[in-house]
């Protein structure tokens, strides 16, 4: 499943519970972030235990444009996680709709 930035904003405003991951690099995260936990794509497989003990927990993954987070989503699904969403358009889509306003 993929998620639009407006869907994500709605989840945040409602206080929905989910694991929120940013798979960009540290320097990208430091420039602008949405408050997600930073685990760069290259580190996903070595940090699986830190993501969630619950393989059925809702996980939303994002990056700059949606490409790396799409790869992360695939890796997580292949590792047994069942409820993983990719944020369509990533940070670029967020900034297009909401500017640099953080959630």
């Amino acid at each position: 499943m993929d998620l639009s930035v407006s869907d994500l904003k709605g989840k945040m405003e409602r206080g929905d519970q989910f694991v929120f991951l940013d798979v960009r690099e540290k320097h990208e995260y430091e420039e602008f972030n949405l408050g997600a936990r930073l685990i760069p794509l290259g580190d996903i497989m070595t940090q699986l235990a830190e993501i969630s003990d619950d393989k059925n927990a809702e996980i939303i993954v994002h990056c700059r444009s949606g490409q790396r987070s799409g790869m992360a989503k695939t890796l997580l699904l292949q590792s047994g996680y069942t409820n993983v969403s990719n944020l369509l358009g990533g940070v670029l889509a967020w900034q297009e709709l909401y500017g640099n306003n953080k959630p």
Side-chain angles (χ1 to χ4, degrees):
M1 178 179 170
D2 292 326
L3 200 66
S4 72
V5 292
S6 58
D7 290 336
L8 172 64
K9 190 170 193 306
K11 284 180 165 293
M12 292 173 154
E13 289 173 348
R14 287 190 304 273
D16 292 359
Q17 295 296 309
F18 56 90
V19 177
F20 192 29
L21 297 178
D22 185 332
V23 296
R24 299 175 301 154
E25 296 299 318
K26 184 178 181 184
H27 69 276
E28 294 174 287
Y29 185 87
E30 290 171 350
E31 289 173 15
F32 181 80
N33 68 76
L34 297 173
R37 179 176 181 176
L38 177 65
I39 301 179
L41 179 60
D43 297 334
I44 282 281
M45 296 310 291
T46 59
Q47 295 188 27
L48 280 177
E50 297 177 32
I51 293 171
S52 178
D53 292 334
D54 182 0
K55 296 273 186 170
N56 297 314
E58 181 177 12
I59 300 173
I60 300 172
V61 186
H62 84 85
C63 64
R64 179 177 177 268
S65 66
Q67 186 172 358
R68 285 175 282 179
S69 53
M71 289 188 272
K73 174 185 171 181
T74 299
L75 290 171
L76 290 168
L77 290 171
Q78 290 172 346
S79 298
Y81 291 87
T82 61
N83 189 6
V84 184
S85 299
N86 178 23
L87 182 63
L88 292 170
V91 168
L92 293 177
W94 180 278
Q95 290 176 317
E96 185 175 314
L97 273 182
Y98 305 113
N100 285 331
N101 296 319
K102 294 185 179 187

